Amino acid sequence: MSREAPATASGAAGGTGNGNGAERLSVVTLEQFLDKLPPALKVLHDGGNGSGLLRWVEPSELEDPTPYLLDGEFLLTAGLPFVGEAGDRARVDAYVRRLVEARVGALGFGLEPYFTAVPDTLVDACIRHNLTLVEVPSTVPFAAIGLEFSQLLESDNAKLFRQLADTNRQLMRAVLSARPEHELLAALTQRLPVWAVLVGADGRVRARAGSGVELSALRQILDRLLGGSGPRVEMDSFDVPGSALVFGHPLRSTRDANLGALILGTDAPLTPSQNSVVSSGVGLLELLVRQRTSGSLAPSQLATALLLHPDSLASGGTRHINGLRDLLAQSTSSTRSTPLRVVQGVKADQAAGRAGDSPVRELLQWRRLFDTKLVELTDYGFAAITRLRVDDALLGEVEKLGWRLVIGDATELTDLSSADQRVTALRQRVQTTGKSARVGEVTWTVAGLLGREAGTMLAGRLLEPVLSQDSDRRTAHLSVLRAWLGENGNWDATAKALGLHRNSVRRQINAVAELLDTDLNQAQVRAELWIALQYVDELPAT
């Protein structure tokens, strides 16, 4: 049988499997959670969903919290949504019905300061709609309930993460060994209940670990792997011990040429964490194959990719880290204590592309300019790790070549991943504005990261119906909208700030909502409008 699927960890072996619970991310059921809570909590109605999974514990006093909830949440309320007229039977019934429709796992009702007992209308509604209802006494703070849930998740997950870190260290040691492909397959089969075969682009076995199906029987799945394109998973099944499920990943070049394939066999689907290990192995093998086919420049690309993606670079002891610092210093012509910078480059004119450019020539160019061997060619341009400060002279030289840079702040080995994330956050801004940027000179707010060009574009598009009015109406509506959003939608506070009657404020806000054809009660809408208002004064006069 055959199946094509994205090459993700969950798709690799088809499901979560029957592995040991310590080898997958932990989940908490409602029954487990209730058993761990203090005995003072009382279940007033059992909805019969004790085996259901809980995602999180969420306190909320909103009349309708469902737009902000995920499936399977334990919702906590102190009863504010039921105070006064809001506590009548119809409104309470509608509240519970919305929770059930949103697949809330259970509702916890906190006694005091609003109620000394759970309202009968709420108990009746939970029974009617079969929602688990828990009474929380005033002696148990909501924070304690959330903390208990976090601890339940953390205990098993910490063990899992330690196992994954240890596995990644073993994979990295295999990559750096004299026979990396053989050692990497041996590490996979040692950590996972699989056998593995690595096949080259010529269809011949390059490395094997464990006992499984002979290569002659794998011809069909191998033909599909070497004949297709793009990331995918091919699957088959054999009546051979350890081979009830056989799955393979193609190993591809940066231009999607097939360089070989990794085929693994097992008797049971792998767990998510086991599939994560497989994905790491596939990525490392792909880099090794590219190194073998790309010549002597490829090791620097391999090192750069691993340093910028530390999920596959597990932390070790002091001796291990210092050894890596020495290797890093040699690769960047620096010393162990010299701070480094992550630099990303993008073409000023994206339409120009690099169709006629030689990858080798590009790599040599960036290695020379940034005095480093750690350069990686990417979809957006290139990434480099350098000891240079990238002063204005070097920046000008790069920009003359038609490139724009995002220049990171000073960092060291253990923080390279975070430094890369900060640089990546600015890349879209550089691509949009066509201007280079330095991480250390950017205001790290939404407005600061968005930039003037993108901000004025956002303001012009979102507020166009308001901005197109005559000058007096435009000024009035913008003033009221800015004040109302600044006061978090509080009518009285807005009226006081503007010196208007609250009914006038309400009338103008309703007029703005009608003009914009949007619901101003939505948090996302308010946030986007608030950001847009920061750039209204920079728009050209109309």
Side-chain angles (χ1 to χ4, degrees):
M1 76 184 180
S2 170
R3 181 180 74 182
E4 291 195 4
T8 61
S10 59
T16 58
N18 305 315
N20 190 319
E23 293 186 4
R24 61 180 172 80
L25 285 178
S26 299
V27 292
V28 174
T29 66
L30 176 59
E31 183 177 22
Q32 290 171 332
F33 184 47
L34 292 177
D35 287 343
K36 286 289 186 180
L37 291 178
L41 276 75
K42 184 188 303 182
V43 178
L44 301 183
H45 175 68
D46 184 355
N49 61 328
S51 61
L53 302 183
L54 289 183
R55 284 181 180 266
W56 200 245
V57 174
E58 183 68 29
S60 175
E61 302 302 330
L62 295 176
E63 183 178 347
D64 181 14
T66 56
Y68 312 100
L69 300 178
L70 300 171
D71 291 357
E73 291 206 37
F74 192 108
L75 181 66
L76 295 170
T77 177
L80 183 60
F82 314 114
V83 172
E85 296 180 358
D88 69 69
R89 183 171 298 273
R91 294 174 71 171
V92 172
D93 187 270
Y95 176 91
V96 174
R97 187 179 66 253
R98 287 194 296 268
L99 297 189
V100 172
E101 291 172 350
R103 300 182 181 180
V104 167
L107 175 63
F109 190 96
L111 301 182
E112 298 182 3
Y114 304 108
F115 293 88
T116 58
V118 180
D120 291 338
T121 53
L122 181 60
V123 177
D124 293 340
C126 288
I127 294 174
R128 186 161 46 252
H129 295 287
N130 202 28
L131 175 65
T132 297
L133 176 62
V134 180
E135 180 186 274
V136 183
S138 59
T139 56
V140 180
F142 286 176
I145 298 175
L147 180 61
E148 186 62 49
F149 183 83
S150 298
Q151 290 174 339
L152 269 177
L153 283 179
E154 183 180 13
S155 58
D156 280 345
N157 285 347
K159 182 178 179 181
L160 168 64
F161 292 139
R162 286 195 299 270
Q163 292 173 339
L164 288 176
D166 186 49
T167 299
N168 280 332
R169 278 195 294 269
Q170 187 174 357
L171 294 179
M172 286 300 302
R173 285 195 296 267
V175 168
L176 299 173
S177 69
R179 303 173 70 229
E181 294 169 345
H182 293 79
E183 293 296 329
L184 203 150
L185 260 60
L188 284 176
T189 56
Q190 180 182 344
R191 293 287 180 166
L192 307 176
V194 299
W195 53 261
V197 176
L198 176 64
V199 180
D202 57 1
R204 296 181 180 180
V205 174
R206 292 192 55 84
R208 178 189 288 271
S211 301
V213 180
E214 293 299 321
L215 184 64
S216 58
L218 297 173
R219 284 300 171 191
Q220 288 188 353
I221 186 174
L222 187 57
D223 288 344
R224 295 195 299 270
L225 287 168
L226 297 179
S229 62
R232 62 198 182 282
V233 178
E234 293 287 352
M235 304 185 69
D236 213 328
S237 180
F238 298 90
D239 189 18
V240 174
S243 306
L245 177 60
V246 174
F247 55 99
H249 297 262
L251 305 178
R252 302 166 299 115
S253 73
T254 55
R255 298 183 182 275
D256 201 31
N258 287 324
L259 304 177
L262 174 67
I263 301 177
L264 303 102
T266 182
D267 270 336
L270 302 183
T271 66
S273 63
Q274 290 172 337
N275 276 318
S276 177
V277 174
V278 171
S279 295
S280 296
V282 170
L284 291 171
L285 283 171
E286 205 163 61
L287 288 169
L288 286 170
V289 174
R290 291 176 184 177
Q291 172 186 347
R292 191 176 63 250
T293 58
S294 300
S296 60
L297 294 175
S300 67
Q301 296 184 76
L302 171 61
T304 306
L306 294 177
L307 288 168
L308 296 184
H309 306 290
D311 288 342
S312 57
L313 181 65
S315 60
T318 302
R319 182 176 179 181
H320 174 70
I321 294 297
N322 284 339
L324 290 177
R325 285 194 177 102
D326 288 337
L327 292 174
L328 185 59
Q330 294 172 33
S331 299
T332 55
S333 303
S334 61
T335 65
R336 184 191 291 180
S337 60
T338 302
L340 302 170
R341 280 177 173 76
V342 177
V343 177
Q344 292 183 8
V346 296
K347 271 283 191 182
D349 181 8
Q350 290 296 314
R354 63 152 73 90
D357 295 344
S358 162
V360 173
R361 186 180 300 112
E362 278 199 68
L363 278 170
L364 290 174
Q365 172 179 263
W366 303 131
R367 288 174 65 165
R368 176 183 60 81
L369 285 171
F370 294 103
D371 194 17
T372 179
K373 298 181 179 68
L374 301 182
V375 178
E376 178 189 19
L377 297 185
T378 65
D379 292 337
Y380 56 80
F382 71 88
I385 301 173
T386 178
R387 64 176 174 79
L388 302 181
R389 298 182 63 181
V390 190
D391 57 20
D392 291 342
L394 176 54
L395 176 60
E397 186 176 354
V398 173
E399 290 187 339
K400 286 180 182 178
L401 297 173
W403 291 78
R404 298 295 179 264
L405 298 182
V406 189
I407 304 164
D409 46 359
T411 188
E412 66 131 16
L413 170 66
T414 55
D415 197 44
L416 277 172
S417 176
S418 298
D420 182 57
Q421 291 174 1
R422 293 190 289 272
V423 170
T424 300
L426 292 180
R427 192 172 67 235
Q428 182 61 50
R429 171 175 168 176
V430 169
Q431 291 172 323
T432 301
T433 64
K435 298 178 181 178
S436 298
R438 296 180 185 273
V439 169
E441 298 176 357
V442 171
T443 302
W444 286 87
T445 62
V446 173
L449 292 174
L450 193 61
R452 180 180 180 277
E453 289 79 3
T456 53
M457 183 183 299
L458 175 69
R461 287 178 180 268
L462 282 186
L463 298 170
E464 192 278 332
V466 174
L467 298 174
S468 62
Q469 300 179 108
D470 63 70
S471 178
D472 290 341
R473 283 183 176 272
R474 163 182 164 149
T475 300
H477 281 162
L478 288 177
S479 176
V480 171
L481 179 60
R482 183 180 282 109
W484 185 72
L485 291 175
E487 297 295 344
N488 295 316
N490 186 298
W491 302 108
D492 291 330
T494 305
K496 182 177 180 181
L498 294 174
L500 299 174
H501 192 278
R502 61 173 289 159
N503 289 341
S504 298
V505 173
R506 189 182 294 272
R507 185 170 56 255
Q508 292 197 53
I509 289 297
N510 288 338
V512 171
E514 185 174 349
L515 276 172
L516 298 177
D517 192 23
T518 191
D519 182 5
L520 294 181
N521 291 318
Q522 295 184 23
Q524 181 176 341
V525 171
R526 292 190 185 191
E528 290 175 346
L529 289 174
W530 180 254
I531 294 170
L533 285 169
Q534 313 309 306
Y535 295 92
V536 165
D537 294 336
E538 297 187 43
L539 288 169
T542 57

